[in-house]
Amino acid sequence: MSEKPELPAGYLGSQPKFGELGLQTLSHDSPEFSVDNNGELEIKFKAPRPVKVTTNLINCKTDQEVTEFVFTQTKDKELHFVLVFPEAGYFKFQIFALDASDESKSLPNVYNYLINVKDALKAAYPFPKQYAQWKDGCYLYSPLVLNAKTSLAKVDFKVFIPNAKAVAVVAAGEWFHLTKKGDNWEGTAALSKHRGKDVKVTLNANYGADESKYATLLEYII
């Protein structure tokens, strides 16, 4: 059983900037809690105005940062943090935020959790790499995880990207264009032939200024 780490006074829970930004906890009000296993965990905050956010996930046993196991997205004035854990034990989850309009490069710490993962029952896979424009209110329904061990024959993509004029998935130069359905962009990509070749699969959006220019939002490796 992992030993509970010693934390500085005032470390857990909300920090001064949390209230200033109007943030509120929606799903986990207690900054210290346990989960039975290392399956997907979603922590939600209310964010009444646009904020930019970064996070840090630290394995207390090794003091190693494992931020690839956190996926951040926003929808309807809510921040969603999806976490998985590479092993059992204690993890510190730190959230940093600032007004979206603030030019400052340094984001202050606004909230800290201590999470005790009691059992690691399944393999944990990293989430896709998120590029800057992903944080502008995008929301991914599927796939949250895509790698050489997942099904690649017909991958269903469903994503919400504000202000996008066109959206495409690109793998090794092959383009799969998604279709606008309601508020979301949807489509499938056949990726089996790339399995195990360390191919980058990117989700890209065109915002209309130049039809040939696409910004990369997410990047998976298969």
Side-chain angles (χ1 to χ4, degrees), residues 105-122:
K105 295 276 184 272
S106 175
L107 274 62
N109 181 213
V110 295
Y111 204 97
N112 296 313
Y113 284 101
L114 181 66
I115 304 165
N116 180 15
V117 181
K118 292 186 174 174
D119 213 341
L121 301 174
K122 34 169 108 162

Side-chain angles (χ1 to χ4, degrees), residues 6-20:
E6 281 188 32
L7 300 171
Y11 171 84
L12 283 176
S14 61
Q15 306 301 307
K17 200 79 183 169
F18 187 78
E20 282 178 43

Side-chain angles (χ1 to χ4, degrees), residues 18 23-30 44-46 111 113:
F18 187 78
L23 297 170
Q24 292 173 282
T25 55
L26 282 177
S27 62
H28 294 75
D29 296 331
S30 172
K44 297 182 199 174
F45 282 4
K46 190 163 188 55
Y111 204 97
Y113 284 101

Side-chain angles (χ1 to χ4, degrees), residues 9-183:
Y11 171 84
L12 283 176
S14 61
Q15 306 301 307
K17 200 79 183 169
F18 187 78
E20 282 178 43
L21 292 170
L23 297 170
Q24 292 173 282
T25 55
L26 282 177
S27 62
H28 294 75
D29 296 331
S30 172
E32 185 178 344
F33 63 91
S34 298
V35 290
D36 291 333
N37 60 61
N38 64 330
E40 227 169 73
L41 168 73
E42 188 172 38
I43 293 175
K44 297 182 199 174
F45 282 4
K46 190 163 188 55
R49 57 184 196 258
V51 291
K52 45 189 177 183
V53 178
T54 61
T55 62
N56 200 1
L57 184 64
I58 299 166
N59 185 334
C60 295
K61 189 166 75 181
T62 60
D63 216 26
Q64 183 186 5
E65 294 183 7
V66 286
T67 44
E68 67 271 25
F69 296 107
V70 183
F71 190 73
T72 304
Q73 42 192 5
T74 45
K75 190 138 202 306
D76 301 329
K77 299 188 174 177
E78 290 180 10
L79 289 168
H80 294 240
F81 306 102
V82 185
L83 293 81
V84 292
F85 303 91
E87 60 180 303
Y90 281 94
F91 288 82
K92 290 189 279 196
F93 179 46
Q94 304 169 328
I95 299 156
F96 305 82
L98 200 57
D99 263 312
S101 57
D102 196 311
E103 295 295 316
S104 173
K105 295 276 184 272
S106 175
L107 274 62
N109 181 213
V110 295
Y111 204 97
N112 296 313
Y113 284 101
L114 181 66
I115 304 165
N116 180 15
V117 181
K118 292 186 174 174
D119 213 341
L121 301 174
K122 34 169 108 162
Y125 297 114
F127 292 114
K129 179 180 176 183
Q130 301 167 66
Y131 284 82
Q133 278 176 278
W134 176 257
K135 307 283 179 80
D136 294 342
C138 299
Y139 192 92
L140 179 68
Y141 293 93
S142 66
L144 273 180
V145 172
L146 188 64
N147 57 46
K149 293 188 169 71
T150 57
S151 173
L152 297 173
K154 189 181 164 209
V155 182
D156 289 314
F157 282 84
K158 182 180 177 184
V159 62
F160 172 75
I161 303 171
N163 307 316
K165 299 290 184 281
V167 177
V169 174
V170 182
E174 189 176 7
W175 287 63
F176 303 91
H177 289 274
L178 305 189
T179 306
K180 187 85 183 279
K181 293 185 179 175
D183 289 337

